[in-house]
Amino acid sequence: MREDIMSAIQCIGILTSGGDSPGMNAAIRAVTRAALQHSMTVKGIYHGYKGLITNQVVNFQTRDVSNIIQRGGTILRTARCEEFRTPEGRKKAYECLQEHGINALVVIGGDGSLTGARIFAQEFNFPIVGLPGTIDNDLYGTDVTIGYDTALNTIMECVDKIRDTATSHERLFFIEVMGREAGFLALNGSIASGAEAAIIPEISSQRDQLSDMIEHSFNTSKTSSIVLVTEGEITGGGAAGVAERVKKEYPQFDVRVSILGHLQRGGSPSAQDRILATRMGVAAIDALLDDQRNVMIGIHNDTIVHVPFSKAIKNIKSINTDIMRALEIVSK
Ligand code: ADP
């Protein structure tokens, strides 16, 4: 069976899509080299799905991916592509794949990119394997995503610096981190940086995290404090929204806001992200050779797993309550 499939997949395309994350280059390198080892032709597609619609496709040899494992961002560039959301746009993308003789695709990206991959794979019965490339760590079925560890380390370094000034001035700092609807960066970033609390989307509807924090911790013993807040409406408008509330409800505090923004996406990937991306990249080619279709490569208990797109996208990855408890205990 494997031999049949090996002959069926002679040429793979690889693209990065949506928000970039550190480690995407390590993944591109691993996918390319694994495919070349199996005598496949490799085509790099620039600017995500947009590059399929506008025909930005080049041949990749092993040297095209030399000296990139340590670089942040993605050498294939990335983009958001509205046209790919339409059947007409996806038809153009399919025609491009046919024109180049590409018979399988590896897509590296987040929730949106894998949603697009799933729709496309079903529409054209086209083999696609996804790799979870997002700093948010919000894909179900994998313990971690490519870029998450690096972003967490970046957050930790930034918060360490902000703490110096927060302590000197006895201020209450709200630091906004990325994550959209997922609080992994805020929660684990808080633990790693010794922050007093995290305000995360997962529990926003269950309790008032701000008043809990002020009444049970900050109000009693602390003169300066750092709280990490996940961006977005669910947490009450991110750090700025929470700070506005404090100014009104607890005017005794000297409040400051810091938004870490895009610097969280940048930088050289950590060792962990490089290793993760390399293992997942190799696994993507193995999966295609084993006739796996419409799956995301994940890692669970240090073992590679195959997660159907439907599960990875639709299911919510829950926050580990042990971690929340640990933060509550150590921040008192
Ligand atoms: P991420 O992959 O980081 O979550 P986005 O949510 O911006 O990033 O998605 C990246 C791209 O994936 C979009 O610009 C679009 O081209 C494609 N995509 C996302 N959702 C869909 C969808 N429902 N149908 C088709 N394509 C989609």
Side-chain angles (χ1 to χ4, degrees), residues 74-94:
T74 156
I75 59 161
L76 284 174
R77 309 286 187 251
T78 184
R80 296 202 155 86
C81 176
E82 283 309 305
E83 209 180 339
F84 194 76
R85 293 176 187 271
T86 67
E88 298 75 31
R90 292 193 293 273
K91 186 162 174 286
K92 282 190 205 166
Y94 182 66

Side-chain angles (χ1 to χ4, degrees), residues 191-239:
I191 292 191
S193 61
E196 276 65 28
I199 296 182
I200 59 173
E202 285 85 346
I203 51 170
S204 285
S205 62
Q206 292 158 34
R207 56 188 171 91
D208 184 344
Q209 298 171 84
L210 175 67
S211 63
D212 280 2
M213 190 276 289
I214 292 202
E215 272 146 40
H216 296 127
S217 169
F218 192 79
N219 220 16
T220 51
S221 57
K222 311 249 170 155
T223 53
S224 76
S225 204
I226 290 187
V227 180
L228 267 58
V229 185
T230 305
E231 65 186 348
E233 285 311 309
I234 307 177
T235 52

